[in-house]
Amino acid sequence: MNRKILFIISKVALLIVGAIIFLNAVAVSMASNFNLGIVLTFLLGGALIVCGVFLGFIVRRLPKWLWITGLCCMALVLVCASTLLIYGRSDNVTHDEDAIIVLGAGIHGERVSLTLRDRLNAAIACYEQNPDAVIVVSGGQGPQEEISEALAMERYLIEHGIPQGSIIKEDKSTSTAENFAFSKALLNERFGESYSAVYVTNDFHIFRAGQIARDAGLSNMNHAHSDTVWYLVVPSCLRECVAVLYYWLFGA
């Protein structure tokens, strides 16, 4: 292919993809609580747009190793994000667990977010196949939230037919590590030291959550996922890639 045509195609592709990602960040920031994933999405979209605008300068003036390193980093992030999603969608729930742990996510005032609603719907599906299980709703109250995530989750489950007696509320945690640690303490009170559980969270979060569960001493754990809505995939996966790296470097 002619080098000039390849250059034009590359430039247009960078501008289009960058604009789509940047607009995705704008839309998500208006609909969700602001977080690191949205910031990273803005940065990625902006970086691609800048690369598209100044592609000629980048190719001519910057050292070859520098922009090749940048491309390799982007490819690595794409591979990591894809791996997290593929792994997260491979459920191993058996539907005979004693407990279903639903990990909290942000709420809007007193209303569950779309992400949290999907987690709760996945937990309801598990419960319908295993009605003897208890459901642990786990999540404290964040700075942009009027009530605890656990209370909002409990209300949602009751509204959708789950008996209140089947729900255990853990409303103090502020992180995934605390989700598991505090949920484990409540389950130990109910079952003693011997029980099985399945945790429910979004597909992109399944891998890291499993590592943290083992750190908390919950070794007999299975997992079930909820799909991530398409327009949240980029910010969620970018944020999770950073979170996985942080976990590997510093722990939960």
Side-chain angles (χ1 to χ4, degrees):
M1 183 182 294
N2 185 286
R3 290 183 64 180
K4 184 176 181 179
I5 294 176
L6 180 61
F7 174 83
I8 293 172
I9 291 174
S10 300
K11 186 180 183 73
V12 172
L14 286 168
L15 290 172
I16 291 175
V17 174
I20 291 172
I21 292 175
F22 192 88
L23 291 173
N24 180 210
V26 172
V28 174
S29 67
M30 295 173 65
S32 304
N33 294 341
F34 206 75
N35 57 51
L36 177 61
I38 295 173
V39 173
L40 293 173
T41 306
F42 272 119
L43 292 175
L44 177 60
L48 291 175
I49 292 172
V50 170
C51 288
V53 172
F54 298 103
L55 183 59
F57 174 84
I58 291 172
V59 173
R60 291 193 305 268
R61 299 295 181 87
L62 294 185
K64 190 175 182 180
W65 66 266
L66 186 60
W67 56 265
I68 289 179
T69 300
L71 289 175
C72 289
C73 289
M74 289 186 183
L76 181 61
V77 170
L78 180 60
V79 170
C80 290
S82 301
T83 301
L84 290 174
L85 289 175
I86 293 170
Y87 177 85
R89 294 180 181 182
S90 304
D91 296 342
N92 62 358
V93 56
T94 62
H95 300 298
D96 61 3
E97 291 88 0
D98 298 304
I100 302 165
I101 301 175
V102 190
L103 302 182
I107 62 174
H108 306 305
E110 298 186 8
R111 186 168 45 88
V112 299
S113 62
L114 180 60
T115 296
L116 188 52
R117 185 201 69 185
D118 290 343
R119 293 183 187 184
L120 292 166
N121 288 341
I124 291 170
C126 289
Y127 180 84
E128 288 173 345
Q129 297 188 60
N130 182 18
D132 293 328
V134 296
I135 302 178
V136 182
V137 290
S138 180
Q141 183 175 349
Q144 303 177 54
E145 301 168 347
E146 296 178 12
I147 60 175
S148 70
E149 293 168 8
L151 178 55
M153 295 159 76
E154 180 186 46
R155 290 175 178 174
Y156 184 91
L157 291 176
I158 292 172
E159 289 173 1
H160 288 77
I162 305 299
Q164 188 167 15
S166 296
I167 303 171
I168 299 175
K169 188 168 57 178
E170 185 288 294
D171 59 2
K172 304 299 182 186
S173 56
T174 59
S175 66
T176 302
E178 290 183 352
N179 285 151
F180 283 119
F182 298 167
S183 296
K184 180 177 184 292
L186 294 174
L187 290 173
N188 286 351
E189 291 178 8
R190 188 177 184 109
F191 295 108
E193 295 291 334
S194 180
Y195 55 87
S196 60
V198 55
Y199 65 90
V200 179
T201 187
N202 286 84
D203 42 18
F204 64 84
H205 189 220
I206 288 286
F207 172 76
R208 183 167 60 94
Q211 306 299 304
I212 295 172
R214 281 189 284 275
D215 292 343
L218 288 163
S219 55
N220 192 17
M221 288 280 285
N222 296 325
H223 56 78
H225 81 283
S226 63
D227 290 334
T228 303
V229 65
W230 65 270
Y231 57 83
L232 293 177
V233 168
V234 172
S236 297
C237 286
L238 288 176
R239 181 184 181 188
E240 190 63 17
C241 287
V242 172
V244 169
L245 179 61
Y246 183 90
Y247 171 78
W248 282 344
L249 293 175
F250 305 108

